[in-house]
Amino acid sequence: MKKSKKRMAMLLAAMFAVTALMLGLAGCGSDKDKGEADGKKPLKVGIVQLVEHPSLDTIRENIVAELEAEGFKDGDTITINYQNAQNEMNNLKTICQSLVADKSDVIVAITTPAAQAAFSETKDIPIIFAAVTDPVAAELVSDLNAPGGNITGTSDRVSAAKIMDLALQITPDIKTIGALYNSSEVNSQSVVADLKDYAQQKGLTVREAAVTNANEIQQAAQSLAGKCDAAFSPIDNTVASAMSVASSEFIKAKIPFYVGADSMVKDGGLATFGINYTVLGAETGKMVGAVLNGEKTEAMPVKLMEDMDTYVNGKTAAAIGVTIPLNVSEMATDLGA
Ligand code: TRP
């Protein structure tokens, strides 16, 4: 009796030991994963950016800063591989292919064309996009609240109607609006479509000058200047990358030039009602951090930016002989210093 009790106890102890060993092994596995995330093997963050212009650079810098604030430091817990396509679609494709081949843990795509290029290369690696104006029209997600796939991110959707309301407060005599944009950028197409709706409601005419690359901007702006009372460019990467060329043509012709982003006002545009790209960059960084922490893009809604501000360029206003009305200048940030 005593003997069998002892045997039973030994058996239980053995079973306990085996169970403990199994649990221990499992625990060991997860420790190893954590170890990798903690820096033994840095996670790979690939960043693809369409082109260099001030707004996109601000976004990227703030993504990186947010990641660092969350403990994801380049060269330490993560390795950042940043590539710029210099506004060449072929470059975008090669860059995205290399980020996939490199087995990036997450791809950060800055702008609509960059996000489209990344999404066409992988349906597995998580992609976080930054500043995609219309993610649904760009066919990246079908529902902003339920992305459902390997891609989500931040949107910088702006309202052409609100920018034009501001335009009519500053220069009320507008009858014809000239739209300068790259017709192959979906982000611009969406906003120009809204502009046309607005114009129709207000009985205004829209004249379009669509370009396909930055080299065509000067001529397009010049010819548009002779046909409109005010010019308008949406959040168009091609115009933004050659903004000083576009704005100097309109300033020469004394045409008020309304634009889609604060950086375009800083580069000589007259005014906008737009989002804050520093905040957008930080929000994008948070989403990238969440993915690095194991969250799934499928369940992360696209983030829209709430705080909008009025930006004007006092220097441009003076150069074209426009007085910014007091009720506008009181609430606006003057970027024309
Ligand atoms: N929204 C643009 C896109 O979808 C990218 C962008 C961000 C941008 N900030 C901008 C374009 C400022 C022009 C100006 O591709």
Side-chain angles (χ1 to χ4, degrees):
M1 192 63 181
K2 216 177 175 185
K3 216 175 175 185
S4 79
K5 232 186 185 175
K6 198 174 171 192
R7 206 178 290 149
M8 185 72 158
M10 277 171 71
L11 194 70
L12 276 174
M15 278 170 66
F16 181 72
V18 169
T19 318
L21 196 68
M22 283 168 68
L23 284 173
L25 280 176
C28 209
S30 61
D31 272 359
K32 191 168 149 254
D33 289 343
K34 195 157 174 274
E36 285 182 0
D38 281 345
K40 279 179 199 148
K41 195 174 159 208
L43 294 167
K44 293 181 183 176
V45 177
I47 303 182
V48 53
Q49 180 175 320
L50 173 67
V51 65
E52 259 160 39
H53 64 67
S55 188
L56 303 185
D57 297 337
T58 300
I59 295 169
R60 191 188 67 254
E61 284 155 16
N62 284 284
I63 293 173
V64 174
E66 175 61 30
L67 282 173
E68 198 170 319
E70 291 185 16
F72 295 109
K73 193 168 164 23
D74 188 23
D76 183 5
T77 42
I78 58 171
T79 306
I80 295 179
N81 179 0
Y82 161 56
Q83 306 272 345
N84 192 300
Q86 310 297 341
N87 218 5
E88 284 291 334
M89 296 306 134
N90 290 339
N91 290 349
L92 267 188
K93 191 173 173 64
T94 344
I95 291 169
C96 292
Q97 281 171 339
S98 78
L99 294 179
V100 170
D102 193 35
K103 297 199 166 32
S104 299
D105 292 288
V106 58
I107 296 176
V108 184
I110 306 176
T111 72
T112 300
Q116 289 173 318
F119 192 43
S120 71
E121 294 306 327
T122 179
K123 298 287 180 283
D124 301 316
I125 297 175
I127 302 167
I128 298 294
F129 56 71
V132 168
T133 303
D134 190 340
V136 174
E139 297 182 349
L140 300 171
V141 300
S142 49
D143 180 345
L144 295 180
N145 289 315
N150 65 319
I151 186 161
T152 186
T154 54
S155 170
D156 61 349
R157 180 91 213 171
V158 296
S159 161
K162 291 207 171 121
I163 298 172
M164 286 313 299
D165 281 344
L166 174 68
L168 288 169
Q169 267 183 283
I170 300 175
T171 46
D173 294 332
I174 304 171
K175 297 279 174 290
T176 304
I177 311 156
L180 175 69
Y181 67 108
N182 181 340
S183 48
S184 64
E185 288 191 35
V186 186
N187 39 302
S188 301
Q189 289 166 12
S190 284
V191 181
V192 170
D194 291 349
L195 173 72
K196 288 181 189 162
D197 286 347
Y198 179 91
Q200 202 172 20
Q201 280 168 28
K202 300 269 174 180
L204 307 172
T205 308
V206 175
R207 284 282 185 112
E208 290 179 59
V211 299
T212 56
N213 64 60
N215 297 332
E216 296 169 12
I217 292 220
Q218 181 165 20
Q219 224 213 317
Q222 230 169 42
S223 81
L224 201 58
K227 298 177 195 148
C228 63
D229 315 307
F232 175 93
S233 275
I235 19 187
D236 185 285
N237 292 292
T238 309
V239 177
S241 70
M243 189 57 201
S244 56
V245 175
S247 60
S248 65
E249 285 305 324
F250 292 122
I251 289 170
K252 230 190 285 171
K254 297 208 177 334
I255 298 286
F257 184 20
Y258 297 99
V259 291
D262 54 356
S263 67
M264 297 167 87
V265 172
K266 191 158 191 284
D267 287 346
L270 181 59
T272 192
F273 181 70
I275 72 146
N276 182 324
Y277 284 95
T278 302
V279 175
L280 179 137
E283 290 298 332
T284 312
K286 282 182 194 154
M287 296 177 89
V288 180
V291 168
L292 293 174
N293 282 326
E295 257 182 64
K296 297 274 170 257
T297 49
E298 283 84 341
M300 296 164 66
V302 171
K303 189 147 181 78
L304 302 167
M305 298 297 121
E306 305 294 342
D307 6 314
M308 311 284 284
D309 278 306
T310 304
Y311 299 93
V312 298
N313 187 320
K315 212 166 139 196
T316 299
I320 63 173
V322 162
T323 309
I324 308 281
L326 202 61
N327 61 331
V328 172
S329 63
E330 268 172 359
M331 59 171 183
T333 306
D334 187 349
L335 300 175

